[in-house]
Amino acid sequence: MTVTTRNPLQTSSWRHIGALGVSLLAGCTTAGLGPDALEVANIKRSNIVPKSSPGALVHAFDKYCVNGPRDRTLADALLRKSNYVPRPRRGQNKTRVYVIDNKRPLVALTQNICVVQARSRTGQTHKFRAYIANTFPRAKPVPPGTFWHNIEQAWAVPSDPPAIVATQRDLEPGNFSRYGLIYYQPAGTTKRGND
């Protein structure tokens, strides 16, 4: 009876080829791409701007925009703690857009503006109007047409200088629309105006 033995050279060669393949793949995935970009690349497309529930939309606005920190580093830490990841490219005005792979809304930040956005869904408008009435009882409606065309409603919030809360509606191809909640605090605002 002949017993065949493994050729240690052949086995070793395959191991080296396998190790080389893994190292090449590792090099491809990390060349210029950090973990944030790789995580964002795997997000389900419909979750970039998801169909958030009215409660999730308003809760995110309250947590990240109205009561969130103005300091960008602290805001980034808060969003990351909530499992949000920033998209790799910054938009106009150095906008940083944060997304998460579930039905929670997109969050976008600039130095003075915070936006929470989701696809339009029943109950969102009513829920946000109730939030404005409860959170900013002294807010005054701003006449339509004061801002750019896609601003649906806006309120001036008493603070020094005044802050602006607004809703934004963007139409997409295929009869879809996105609903955004905006909180604008001018530079030098000393309080949030929710008293």
Side-chain angles (χ1 to χ4, degrees):
M1 173 178 197
T2 306
V3 177
T4 56
T5 60
R6 283 186 149 166
N7 180 342
L9 285 175
Q10 287 178 338
T11 305
S12 177
S13 297
W14 283 110
R15 274 195 212 133
H16 289 297
I17 291 170
L20 176 63
V22 169
S23 67
L24 288 174
L25 286 174
C28 288
T29 57
T30 58
L33 296 176
D36 291 340
L38 295 170
E39 289 179 11
V40 169
N42 283 331
I43 289 179
K44 189 176 177 183
R45 195 156 189 65
S46 62
N47 284 345
I48 298 291
V49 181
K51 277 189 170 182
S52 300
S53 70
L57 186 67
V58 170
H59 175 74
F61 181 77
D62 184 68
K63 181 175 182 176
Y64 304 117
C65 296
V66 175
N67 293 304
R70 291 208 47 194
D71 179 82
R72 297 290 295 268
T73 304
L74 296 175
D76 182 79
L78 176 63
L79 284 154
R80 286 178 181 277
K81 186 177 177 184
S82 300
N83 299 320
Y84 277 88
V85 177
R87 293 187 79 173
R89 283 182 265 166
R90 292 176 189 240
Q92 293 178 330
N93 304 324
K94 297 183 179 176
T95 302
R96 195 82 190 257
V97 176
Y98 292 83
V99 294
I100 188 166
D101 199 7
N102 59 30
K103 297 297 181 190
R104 286 189 279 166
L106 169 150
V107 178
L109 301 172
T110 68
Q111 189 61 41
N112 299 320
I113 299 173
C114 178
V115 178
V116 173
Q117 191 177 64
R119 283 198 171 200
S120 298
R121 195 167 173 197
T122 57
Q124 291 170 336
T125 304
H126 176 75
K127 184 85 171 174
F128 190 64
R129 286 179 184 161
Y131 172 82
I132 293 294
N134 290 330
T135 308
F136 302 109
R138 296 187 306 137
K140 303 287 183 211
V142 177
T146 304
F147 302 103
W148 52 98
H149 73 280
N150 60 350
I151 296 298
E152 203 171 56
Q153 292 182 288
W155 298 264
V157 177
S159 59
D160 186 23
I164 299 290
V165 176
T167 63
Q168 176 183 23
R169 193 81 63 175
D170 291 310
L171 297 177
E172 298 176 351
N175 206 24
F176 293 112
S177 65
R178 290 178 289 166
Y179 187 54
L181 311 179
I182 302 167
Y183 191 61
Y184 169 73
Q185 288 182 289
T189 303
T190 56
K191 61 180 183 175
R192 297 206 179 267
N194 54 352
D195 54 357

